[in-house]
């Protein structure tokens, strides 16, 4: 079941166990149950602290739980956690066995204090690169709070349940049987939703924080780069972000980051955050910027957050990135997560054997269509232009697939559904003008990006596309306010370009700070000395 090198690595990991653990299997006579049984036996043979029971009574079969002898297990895997989820299994084994997780101490201390009874069920696909973060966060919650359970459910294995519960996107999280969340969620995000009063405590803390020399808004490649460069100058640096990593977290393969031949989004984000944390940077996560208020008489600009809190700084670097562009047609929002999807790698397996459409004929759209063609029954690619815009090699591959139809000069006009899920779409022929309806079960939107700058309208100069206008130093139309990355007018939205622009904006901000009137800092020094006296 497990390859030799995987077993060798797992054996070394299991040497870190501090307590005995047991694997409790709930099996039937299926082939998958036999695979699970074989996998559990192999794991148990790698450590004397791991034992197996086959008397599990879980209604989902085949499945297994990870627990400690004499205690009720709270971590469950309904399916075989291989692929991206194998790390979730390894971490569950280690953490149930007493090996400490790499989590901020304050966050870890908060988990046992959460009041209530919570049973989380997370529907995943083994090809989803966003799912493991959710599963691992929920598993950790269940390990450190006896009133929390976490169940990973492989949607590809339990397809009848997926259909019955109308799961059409992964990860989908249910809490006590009711919808809780969809898409990537961090441990901090989940805690914030279930720990009553956490948001209010955090807002009060932020309002009382000291002003920053540089405050970076956004935690993607540009923001992380800016934070490192600013912190290395020895100035007080903060980074506030809705989700550290931003859109890169949703990127699968990255093969053009110079000196790194291949990586993926989550791995890159982990490396970025680790690098930032090596410096004295105040990371404020799970906070969305709501407004920018220019510097007043005190020389401090203000970033107001959606939570109601505010942060002040002598200079600000905006690196809020971009998001997937939506079609903005009737039915899109109504059926988002019910057939309308934006990540073919994550949600594609849920549409196995079904008919789907991909909207967009650029590289992303054509790559999505090629990927989906290996899973679904049929793919219809719809492109607004008269021809596809993807690289020639991708177009050749796409046209070689027998279960793909390409429609060009087509304007997607409406998403059609039955109130519960997508049943089709309507498009207009831009040449003949006629309206046509396609019967299908899924729509994957791949039509580019929009800058996350809505909160800046009226505050600084934006282009006609909503991008922040910057000069060669990253300076915006406001003194002391800089910007970098995909949210700006800088062409070519690439990770490596965003990193460079973030560094440049940080250097620009530092140059601005050292040229500020000396009287401002001198006055504050005198005032500080008076207070100290």
């Amino acid at each position: 079941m497990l390859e030799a090198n995987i077993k060798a690595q797992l054996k070394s990991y299991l040497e870190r166990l501090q307590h005995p653990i047991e694997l409790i299997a709930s099996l039937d006579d299926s082939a998958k149950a036999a695979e699970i049984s074989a996998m559990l036996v192999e794991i148990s043979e790698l450590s004397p602290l791991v034992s197996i029971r086959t008397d599990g009574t879980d209604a989902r079969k085949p499945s297994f739980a990870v627990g400690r002898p004499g205690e009720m297990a709270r971590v469950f895997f309904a399916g075989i956690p291989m692929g991206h989820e194998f790390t979730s299994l390894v971490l569950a084994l280690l953490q149930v066995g007493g090996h400490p997780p790499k989590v901020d101490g304050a966050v870890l201390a908060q988990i046992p204090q959460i009041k209530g009874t919570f049973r989380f069920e997370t529907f995943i696909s083994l090809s989803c690169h966003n799912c493991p973060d959710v599963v691992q966060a929920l598993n950790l919650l269940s390990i450190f709070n006896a009133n929390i359970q976490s169940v990973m459910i492989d949607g590809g294995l339990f397809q009848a349940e997926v259909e019955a519960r109308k799961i059409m996107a992964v990860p989908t999280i249910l809490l006590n049987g009711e919808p809780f969340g969809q898409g990537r969620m961090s441990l901090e995000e989940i805690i914030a939703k279930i720990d009553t009063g956490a948001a209010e405590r955090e807002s009060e803390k932020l309002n009382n924080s000291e002003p920053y020399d540089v405050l970076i808004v956004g935690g993607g490649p540009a923001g992380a780069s800016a934070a490192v460069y600013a912190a290395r100058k020895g100035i007080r640096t903060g980074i506030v972000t809705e989700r550290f990593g931003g859109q890169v977290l949703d990127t699968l393969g990255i093969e053009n980051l110079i000196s790194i031949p291949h990586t993926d989004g989550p791995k890159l984000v982990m490396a970025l955050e680790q690098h930032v944390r090596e410096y004295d940077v105040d990371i404020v996560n799970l906070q969305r910027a709501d407004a920018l208020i220019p510097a007043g008489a005190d020389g401090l600009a203000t970033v107001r957050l959606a939570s109601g809190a505010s942060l002040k700084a002598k200079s600000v670097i905006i690196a809020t990135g971009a998001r997937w562009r939506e079609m903005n047609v009737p039915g899109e929002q109504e059926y988002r997560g019910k057939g309308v999807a934006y990540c073919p790698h994550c949600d594609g397996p849920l549409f196995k054997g079904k008919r789907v459409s991909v909207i967009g004929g650029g590289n992303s759209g054509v790559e999505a269509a090629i990927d989906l063609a290996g899973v679904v029954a049929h793919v219809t690619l719809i492109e607004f232009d008269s021809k596809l815009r993807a690289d020639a090699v991708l177009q050749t591959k796409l046209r070689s697939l027998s279960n793909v139809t390409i429609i060009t000069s087509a304007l997607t006009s409406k998403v059609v559904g039955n109130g519960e899920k997508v049943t089709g779409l309507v498009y207009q022929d831009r040449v003949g003008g006629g309206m046509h309806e396609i019967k299908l079960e899924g729509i994957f939107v791949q039509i580019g990006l929009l800058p996350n700058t809505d909160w800046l309208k009226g505050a600084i100069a934006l282009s006609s596309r909503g991008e922040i206008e910057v000069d060669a130093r990253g300076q915006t139309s406001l003194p002391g306010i800089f910007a970098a990355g995909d949210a700006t007018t800088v062409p070519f939205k690439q990770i490596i370009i965003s990193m460079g622009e973030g560094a440049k904006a940080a250097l620009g901000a530092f140059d601005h700070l050292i040229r500020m009137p000396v009287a401002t800092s001198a006055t504050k020094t005198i005032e500080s000395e008076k207070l100290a006296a």
Side-chain angles (χ1 to χ4, degrees):
M1 180 66 190
L2 299 177
E3 296 179 359
N5 62 327
I6 297 295
K7 290 175 69 172
Q9 291 178 1
L10 184 55
K11 181 179 176 63
S12 66
Y13 287 141
L14 294 179
E15 291 174 357
R16 305 174 189 178
L17 294 177
Q18 300 177 16
H19 309 287
I21 62 174
E22 60 181 8
L23 309 174
I24 307 129
S26 299
L27 305 174
D28 52 20
D29 57 359
S30 66
K32 284 294 181 184
E35 289 183 39
I36 287 179
S37 179
M39 180 186 71
L40 298 183
V41 168
E42 290 185 356
I43 293 173
S44 69
E45 292 173 345
L46 300 177
S47 171
L49 293 179
V50 181
S51 60
I52 303 177
R53 285 170 41 196
T54 57
D55 58 348
T57 58
D58 198 300
R60 286 191 191 91
K61 295 182 173 63
S63 66
F64 67 97
V66 182
R68 291 187 186 181
E71 297 182 7
M72 183 171 292
R74 302 189 295 274
V75 178
F76 298 84
F77 293 92
I80 304 177
M82 300 302 288
H84 291 298
E85 290 296 348
F86 187 68
T87 301
S88 301
L89 171 59
V90 174
L91 289 175
L93 294 171
L94 291 176
Q95 291 166 8
V96 171
H99 186 68
K102 294 181 179 179
V103 177
D104 180 81
V107 174
L108 201 58
Q110 185 181 357
I111 295 174
Q113 308 304 319
I114 298 173
K115 306 299 181 183
T117 301
F118 308 91
R119 178 177 171 82
F120 290 99
E121 297 170 294
T122 307
F123 287 84
I124 62 97
S125 69
L126 297 180
S127 61
C128 170
H129 58 286
N130 289 326
C131 295
D133 281 355
V134 175
V135 172
Q136 291 162 26
L138 292 172
N139 286 351
L140 191 146
L141 285 173
S142 69
I143 292 167
F144 286 88
N145 188 313
N147 296 317
I148 299 177
Q149 291 185 348
S150 172
V151 187
M152 182 216 80
I153 305 166
D154 178 6
L157 180 60
F158 292 89
Q159 288 189 330
E161 185 173 357
V162 165
E163 291 285 344
R165 302 179 84 163
K166 301 179 177 62
I167 306 297
M168 303 193 72
V170 293
T172 290
I173 312 168
L174 303 181
L175 172 56
N176 298 334
E178 299 296 327
F180 175 80
Q182 195 173 83
R184 177 187 291 272
M185 293 182 72
S186 67
L187 175 63
E188 292 84 357
E189 286 177 286
I190 297 168
I191 292 175
K193 289 189 70 171
I194 64 176
D195 186 4
T196 305
E200 289 77 8
R201 294 194 301 271
E202 181 65 13
S203 291
E204 183 178 358
K205 173 185 172 184
L206 295 177
N207 282 328
N208 293 326
S209 63
E210 292 294 319
Y212 295 97
D213 290 316
V214 175
L215 176 62
I216 299 149
V217 185
S225 176
V228 169
Y229 266 73
R232 285 174 61 86
K233 294 295 184 181
I235 57 180
R236 177 164 161 74
T237 303
I239 182 168
V240 58
T241 178
E242 188 172 2
R243 183 178 69 155
F244 200 99
Q247 189 193 7
V248 176
L249 283 168
D250 302 321
T251 303
L252 190 58
I254 300 172
E255 300 179 347
N256 56 359
L257 189 59
I258 309 306
S259 84
I260 303 176
H262 179 81
T263 186
D264 59 43
K267 287 182 181 178
L268 178 59
V269 169
M270 184 181 298
L272 288 174
E273 186 170 359
Q274 288 175 346
H275 195 176
V276 171
R277 290 188 182 277
E278 289 182 3
Y279 297 92
D280 187 15
V281 177
D282 189 4
I283 299 178
V284 181
N285 211 351
L286 307 182
Q287 296 288 341
R288 177 168 56 84
D290 188 56
L292 172 66
I293 303 170
D298 60 358
L300 298 174
T302 300
V303 174
R304 193 177 67 212
L305 307 176
S307 65
S310 293
L311 296 171
K312 293 182 178 293
K314 296 176 184 177
S315 64
V316 175
I317 299 173
I318 302 168
T320 45
R323 63 189 183 277
W324 290 115
R325 184 186 296 273
E326 298 177 349
M327 298 182 291
N328 292 318
V329 300
E332 180 178 15
Q333 293 303 319
E334 180 183 355
Y335 292 103
R336 186 175 184 135
K338 299 177 182 178
V340 176
Y342 300 84
C343 180
H345 302 291
C346 300
D347 299 332
L350 298 180
F351 294 85
K352 182 178 181 180
K354 297 180 179 180
R355 301 177 67 87
V356 304
S357 175
V358 172
I359 312 300
N363 281 352
S364 296
V366 172
E367 288 173 352
I370 293 170
D371 185 24
L372 290 166
V375 178
V376 305
H378 189 271
V379 179
T380 300
L381 187 143
I382 297 179
E383 165 58 33
F384 178 83
D385 203 352
S386 60
K387 59 183 179 181
L388 302 184
R389 294 166 286 108
D391 295 342
V393 64
L394 294 175
Q395 293 192 44
T396 300
K397 173 64 176 177
L398 181 71
R399 297 181 192 280
S400 72
L401 302 174
S402 61
N403 62 335
V404 173
T405 299
I406 301 171
I407 302 176
T408 56
S409 299
L411 172 63
T412 304
S413 304
K414 182 180 180 181
V415 174
V416 181
N418 59 10
E420 294 183 347
K421 59 184 180 180
V422 166
T423 59
L425 67 77
V426 175
Y427 74 89
Q428 181 181 22
D429 183 342
R430 296 181 58 237
V431 177
M435 304 297 290
H436 305 272
E437 182 173 346
I438 305 174
K439 300 294 184 183
L440 43 75
E441 290 84 18
I443 300 170
F444 290 85
V445 184
Q446 302 281 290
I447 55 175
L449 303 172
L450 279 177
N452 294 318
T453 57
D454 294 344
W455 63 288
L456 294 169
K457 290 179 179 177
I460 58 176
L462 303 176
S463 71
S464 59
R465 296 185 178 183
E467 298 171 326
I468 304 168
E469 294 182 350
V470 293
D471 65 12
R473 292 173 174 263
Q475 173 75 56
T476 70
S477 59
L478 286 178
I481 308 299
F482 296 78
D486 288 0
T488 73
T489 51
V490 172
F492 312 121
K493 312 304 185 186
Q494 298 289 308
I495 292 171
I496 194 168
I497 292 175
S498 291
M499 288 179 172
E501 291 296 310
K504 184 168 68 177
L507 295 175
F510 180 72
D511 187 63
H512 167 79
L513 289 172
I514 63 177
R515 295 173 188 276
M516 289 179 69
V518 177
T520 302
S521 57
T523 301
K524 290 186 176 181
T525 300
I526 293 171
E527 290 174 349
S528 297
E529 290 174 351
K530 287 180 179 179
L531 289 172

